[in-house]
Amino acid sequence: MNKDELKIFLERIKNEEISIDDGVEKIKKLEYDDLGYAKIDNHREIRNGYPEVIYCENKSNEHIKGIMENMLKTGNNILATRATRENYEYVKDIDSDIEYYEIPRLIVIKKKKINIIGGTVLIATGGTSDIKVAEEAAITLEIFGNKVERLYDVGVAGIHRLLSNKDKLNEANVIITVAGMEGALASVVGGLTDKPVIAVPTSVGYGASFNGLAALLAMLNSCASGVGVVNIDNGFGAGYLASTINRQIES
């Protein structure tokens, strides 16, 4: 339940369309549902603007399915990250609207209309190898109601590919840069635009990249102003943050 739905619900109690007792029972369930192995935060969309997201890695198939079945009762859209094909095969029969995105490893169930908010969020990658992380950000943004523009394989090894798309940088509300190796893309983009830039280091690279640590440190030490950095391979975190910024810009 989001803030708008809560207002409608309270209006229905006020107009005696819902009894006070039924209203109290509904509100009691807004706090969380305790499944023993998980406590489902039903109140999160009211507090944060978005419902709880399921992180599937290291969870059993049974727990993932139980959490999804509980969350379906709310009628919200469901996003599950770091989901394997095996996870999806186990839960795919719980709802007809379920989808699996193989590259970013996401399970999505769309139960509510997605209303578009704000302007465009541009996602740029250094290389094709970074698309897995970029798509995690992109699908997260889309299920949260953002318009997404993809600009893939525009890294600094062929910087003319990025410079020929400067109009896209200028048109976006928020920019996400996704890059491994030395992670230079974030600094270059940050130096070309007045838009907030969210940098995502990826674990793409040879030995001395240290599974993304080199890119992370380079992005944290960027000389370009207005660049913020999320954790290695954290496309979801970048998408969530970009959506929050995009919504505030248009509010």
Side-chain angles (χ1 to χ4, degrees), residues 37-55:
Y37 54 84
K39 293 177 174 59
I40 312 302
D41 187 356
N42 300 318
H43 193 264
R44 189 169 302 186
E45 189 172 11
I46 296 173
R47 297 193 321 270
N48 299 142
Y50 304 113
E52 186 171 12
V53 173
I54 305 167
Y55 180 77

Side-chain angles (χ1 to χ4, degrees), residues 85-138:
R85 168 62 68 171
E86 179 190 338
N87 296 150
Y88 170 69
E89 292 296 332
Y90 192 85
V91 304
K92 68 180 182 180
D93 294 329
I94 67 172
D95 193 88
S96 60
D97 295 316
I98 195 168
E99 296 177 85
Y100 183 60
Y101 295 84
E102 189 85 45
I103 292 175
R105 295 186 296 162
L106 297 173
I107 298 174
V108 173
I109 304 177
K110 297 176 184 175
K111 303 308 295 181
K112 289 166 58 174
K113 178 183 176 182
I114 298 174
N115 296 314
I116 303 300
I117 61 168
T120 299
V121 178
L122 177 68
I123 304 178
T125 72
T128 305
S129 298
D130 301 308
I131 288 177
K132 176 180 178 179
V133 177
E135 279 299 300
E136 184 179 59

Side-chain angles (χ1 to χ4, degrees), residues 183-188 190-191 199 216-229:
L185 182 63
S187 290
V188 174
L216 172 64
L217 293 175
M219 291 172 173
L220 286 171
N221 286 283
S222 173
C223 62
S225 303
V227 176
V229 187

